[in-house]
Structure formats: C-alpha cells, structure tokens
Amino acid sequence: MKTYETIIKDGKVVYPEKTIKANIGILNGKIDYIGSDEKIHADNIVDACGRYVLPGAIDPHTHPVYLDNIEGLSKTAAFGGVTTVIHYAYAKPGKSLVSTVKDYIQEGEATSYIDFALHGGLFDTKKQADEIPESVKLGVTSFKMFMAYAKLGWMTDDYALAKAMDIIGRTGGMASLHAENGLVIDYIQDKLLKEKANFKERFLETSPDTAEAEAIFRAVQIGKLMKCPVYIPHISSKAGIKTMKYLKDEGYKVYAETCPHYLSLTWDELKGKGPLGKVGPSIKTEEDLISLWDAVETGYIDTIGSDHAPKDKKVEDDFFTAPYGTPEIETMLPILWEFGINRGKITVNKLAAILSENTARIMGLFPKKGRLDTGSDADIVIIDPDEEWIVSKGNQHSNASYTLFEGKTILGRVKHVFSRGRLVVNGNSFLGESGWGEFLKTNAGQ
Ligand SMILES: [Zn+2]
C-alpha cells in the first residue's frame, strides 16, 4: 500500500465548477490522490475538519523592489494563502531587459519561499523590445509597459507599443499594459499644479475613468493589428469595464485583472489616510466598485492581482510627491473572502477560478498550478470560514508600516498553506525555507 508524505483529510475541496468532500494524498510534492478512501496512509496527517481546501492563490501582480524584497514578499504572500507570485521584473531606463530578468531569477531562486514567475517590465521600450525574444527563451513571456507616467519617463508611446507588440506577436507571448492615457493625465496634473490645487481633494481628477477606458481600447486595438494578446492589470473603473465588455464581446484577445482594493474601498472612505491610499490607477467610487464586482461575477474580469507595492509613506506626507502603491498581498484572499463571499457577491468556486485556475491558464502555468487535480503541484490553502479576526498592522508580515484595511473584521482565516507539499504556514507559525521556491517558466496568452 502507498504511503503518502501528507494526507489532508476531511476537506471541502473547491474547484471552479464544484465542491467535493475529499481526502488529498500528497506524494513527491504533487497531488497523488483525491477521493473518499479513509484507509490511505501517510507520515503526516492534517485534519481539515470540514474546512475549505483551495488551490493556493496565484498572484499575477507583485513588485518585490520596495519595502519587501523577493524573500520578504514571498513570506507575507504565503501568510495570505498565496503559493505562486508573478513579479514584475522592471528594466528601468538604461537597463537591459535580459540582465534584469536574469537578476530576478537568481534572487528568486536563492531566497523565495514560494514558487515564482516573472513578467518583463519595459521602460525604454523602443530599445528594450529587441530583447523580448531572448527573454522568452528564458521563460518570461509577458511584458508590461506603461501607457501612463510620461513625466516620470516611464511611458511607452504608440510607436514603441506597436513595435513591442509586433515582436511579442511574432515570438509568442502577451503584452500587459498599465492602461491610462499618460499625456492627458500629465496635462491635468500640470493644470492643477498651476492652480496650486489640493491634490488630495482632487486625486480622482488626476486618474479619471475615461483615461483608463481610452487606453484599454487603444491598447487592445494596437494588439489586434500586431496579433498580440493583451492583458490589462488593475482595472479600476466602471468605464474601463464597459470598454472591456465591448472588446470581449467583439472577440478581441484580451484578459482583465482587478485588485482587492478596487473591490473593497472607495476614495471617499480613504481620503483621510492621505498618501497611504494613493495607488495608480486611483481607487474610485462606490459605483465603480459595484461595476467591478459585477464584472467578476459575469466573467469580464478574469483574474485578481494584489499589486503589492509597499512604499515608505505617512498620512501627513505631501500628497502630490508621495509614491503610488500599498501593501496588499497578505490581505488579498481574506478581503475577497469577506467582501466577495461573505457579502454574497461571489461563490467560493468563483474565488478558485479568479485567484488560481484562470490565472494559471492565462499565464501558461496550467495544469502544474491552478487546480487541485492529481498530478498538479500540491499548492494548497486551508481556510476556516468560521474564524473571525481583525486586520491590523500587527498581524501582517509586510515591512510596510500600515495596511489600508486596518480595523476591518474578516470572517474566514487562512490556517494552513502548502507549497509543493511542504507545509509553509501553520496558523501563526511560519515553516518556510528561503530558496525553496522554484522559478516557473510561463507560456502566456496562448
Ligand atoms: Zn503594479
């Protein structure tokens, strides 16, 4: 008789289309058995006590270069039920894309607690686009560019965007666009600067929904011309969703992501926190939030990413010069549980789709990742739906000095997290090993 490394017994195992009561047998880091047999043997038995057993979350949107490095980010991720992270390897102007990718792979293999993949990030796109085929050979097949942030020198104009998409289209891969019209936003900011406007009060004017909708539309049209699949991260507005609905209904090859903060917070609620709530695109209104949940439910949103980018900032800092970004990864799953499942917006099955299976399929990590099937990696999270807790800086593991969700009560808590069969989180204890994480080659957009 087979002896498993670990058995997770008596779980409600969740798939996008069903939930089943089952025991899971893990062997060599993979799921080897799923079924109702009580007589299977293992060295370790973890009793799920009838709780939910989900595929570990795959976070397609992380930035390990601010207050959390790859090591620290992967730890705070694991505590949040995330078992795969896909970092943006940003090649800043003057840098080589390929050497940036190699540096991230090296740091990740040396220090990450969980498996990771990479997106390339292009800042000097006209030049760096020539390195795309070489990056694809290394296993990095999705490439982020900014249609915004012209004044920072980060913006990819339409000429360079067409060039990059042409190369991606021919090489095989996917373009990922920060979709906001950068030049229009810069003009609005300059105008407000001249007026000596209060930027905190007028933040939404500097990241308007129309600028997002326009850029989504433009990116996807250029993608069609260049035969390049397009992924739009962090969609924040009803107008953006309307555009996405049109594009998807017309059959364009485009994928949509939103983030937990757009599904749970409004700018009205956040304004008092000043720069802490400054993210790009901005967190908008209740109407936008409702529209985003609707899009999650109807499938116009494919994935959820955290956009984890913890920055050093304080409530009283100057708003205009404060950087964009907040810590998000550890609260992502709990916030979706509370604001999505507990409030009746989505089912637990939908959560398994948008946090795991859809992401794995779009990134070409499926079926190794994304679903609890035999043969897949044993990346597993057990959630107790009855434990209530309150989010606070004190129970989070990011190096950030705050969380936007301070004081929020959540019913449902991550209890166990497995990475390729290894128990890395057991309640409040961390059992991970730096360097355990493996680099995953993607095959995005296919
Ligand atoms: Zn981001």
Side-chain angles (χ1 to χ4, degrees):
M1 190 184 290
K2 244 183 202 171
T3 300
Y4 295 102
E5 290 154 9
T6 304
I7 291 170
I8 299 171
K9 68 166 207 180
D10 188 25
K12 280 193 202 112
V13 183
V14 181
Y15 300 88
E17 73 287 356
K18 64 182 179 189
T19 305
I20 59 169
K21 289 204 80 173
N23 303 318
I24 295 179
I26 299 170
L27 195 62
N28 300 322
K30 294 191 181 293
I31 297 172
D32 195 74
Y33 173 82
I34 301 179
S36 52
D37 192 344
E38 297 282 332
K39 293 194 191 92
I40 53 175
H41 293 274
D43 300 328
N44 303 303
I45 295 179
V46 175
D47 192 346
C49 305
R51 295 165 178 161
Y52 287 104
V53 177
L54 282 96
I58 300 172
D59 188 346
H61 192 155
T62 52
H63 302 284
V65 289
Y66 305 113
L67 295 177
D68 296 330
N69 59 11
I70 288 180
E71 184 176 33
L73 193 153
S74 67
K75 184 177 181 180
T76 185
F79 271 111
V82 176
T83 51
T84 300
V85 276
I86 310 177
H87 302 303
Y88 283 106
Y90 276 177
K92 288 284 174 75
K95 288 233 166 171
S96 144
L97 176 65
V98 168
S99 66
T100 303
V101 161
K102 285 180 176 167
D103 288 348
Y104 272 69
I105 293 174
Q106 203 180 26
E107 185 185 338
E109 286 181 333
T111 66
S112 186
Y113 290 105
I114 56 174
D115 291 353
F116 68 101
L118 300 172
H119 310 280
L122 287 72
F123 285 66
D124 191 357
T125 302
K126 235 168 108 180
K127 255 197 211 148
Q128 291 165 335
D130 293 323
E131 296 182 78
I132 286 171
E134 190 64 29
S135 304
V136 168
K137 280 187 202 148
L138 293 171
V140 176
T141 58
S142 50
F143 299 93
K144 160 103 169 267
M145 290 159 279
F146 290 92
M147 298 169 85
Y149 304 135
K151 268 195 282 190
L152 295 176
W154 296 9
M155 192 181 82
T156 293
D157 66 20
D158 291 351
Y159 182 98
L161 184 56
K163 177 180 172 179
M165 284 180 156
D166 188 23
I167 295 171
I168 296 166
R170 284 185 280 115
T171 314
M174 183 169 80
S176 169
L177 280 313
H178 178 123
E180 287 188 293
N181 186 314
L183 293 173
V184 170
I185 285 176
D186 281 358
Y187 170 73
I188 294 168
Q189 282 189 355
D190 288 345
K191 197 172 135 186
L192 291 179
L193 276 173
K194 262 190 210 144
E195 286 173 24
K196 296 198 167 45
N198 180 333
F199 272 91
K200 189 176 80 177
E201 289 304 321
R202 301 181 70 176
F203 183 43
L204 294 199
E205 286 173 54
T206 66
S207 175
D209 58 355
T210 318
E212 179 172 78
E214 184 277 330
I216 292 172
F217 185 81
R218 180 160 38 103
V220 177
Q221 302 299 331
I222 300 171
K224 185 187 180 188
L225 277 171
M226 298 300 152
K227 300 185 173 59
C228 174
V230 174
Y231 182 95
I232 306 289
H234 57 42
I235 297 175
S236 66
S237 68
K238 184 179 178 181
I241 289 300
K242 252 184 158 170
T243 304
M244 189 56 72
K245 275 186 181 168
Y246 166 79
L247 293 165
K248 287 199 167 201
D249 289 347
E250 290 289 313
Y252 286 85
K253 194 148 190 199
V254 58
Y255 304 102
E257 174 200 286
T258 189
C259 309
H261 35 287
Y262 302 118
L263 293 166
S264 55
L265 299 164
T266 64
W267 182 242
D268 271 352
E269 187 184 350
L270 271 182
K271 210 190 280 176
K273 297 189 178 181
L276 303 192
K278 184 177 173 183
V279 295
S282 59
I283 293 166
K284 297 182 169 67
T285 69
E286 184 72 22
E287 202 184 340
D288 295 294
L289 185 155
I290 290 167
S291 163
L292 286 164
W293 271 121
D294 181 62
V296 169
E297 199 200 325
T298 52
Y300 287 101
I301 291 282
D302 300 284
T303 66
I304 309 280
S306 73
D307 201 358
H308 184 83
K311 306 275 176 79
D312 187 13
K313 47 189 182 179
K314 293 187 284 302
V315 179
E316 58 277 13
D317 288 349
D318 174 57
F319 191 88
F320 181 68
T321 53
Y324 293 95
T326 59
E328 293 285 347
I329 197 165
E330 194 169 339
T331 42
M332 176 169 68
L333 193 160
I335 286 294
L336 294 172
W337 196 277
E338 177 61 31
F339 286 79
I341 294 170
N342 292 347
R343 302 191 188 184
K345 306 274 197 205
I346 54 166
T347 62
V348 66
N349 307 93
K350 184 61 150 184
L351 191 75
I354 56 171
L355 273 186
S356 302
E357 185 163 333
N358 292 356
T359 318
R361 287 179 183 277
I362 292 166
M363 293 305 300
L365 296 171
F366 191 82
K368 181 177 166 62
K369 304 291 187 190
R371 189 177 165 96
L372 300 180
D373 278 339
T374 52
S376 296
D377 284 356
D379 289 356
I380 299 171
V381 52
I382 303 177
I383 296 168
D384 181 354
D386 299 318
E387 185 172 331
E388 196 173 82
W389 61 289
I390 295 169
V391 182
S392 90
K393 169 55 206 144
N395 57 30
Q396 298 292 295
H397 300 83
S398 166
N399 285 322
S401 60
Y402 72 99
T403 157
L404 287 185
F405 302 100
E406 186 73 35
K408 297 267 184 207
T409 300
I410 310 244
L411 179 62
R413 188 155 207 183
V414 170
K415 301 303 284 183
H416 298 87
V417 180
F418 296 86
S419 163
R420 278 181 286 112
R422 179 196 180 110
L423 186 61
V424 290
V425 170
N426 184 6
N428 294 323
S429 323
F430 190 68
L431 307 169
E433 177 191 340
S434 182
W436 166 263
E438 289 178 355
F439 172 62
L440 305 165
K441 293 183 176 185
T442 63
N443 185 18
Q446 308 311 302

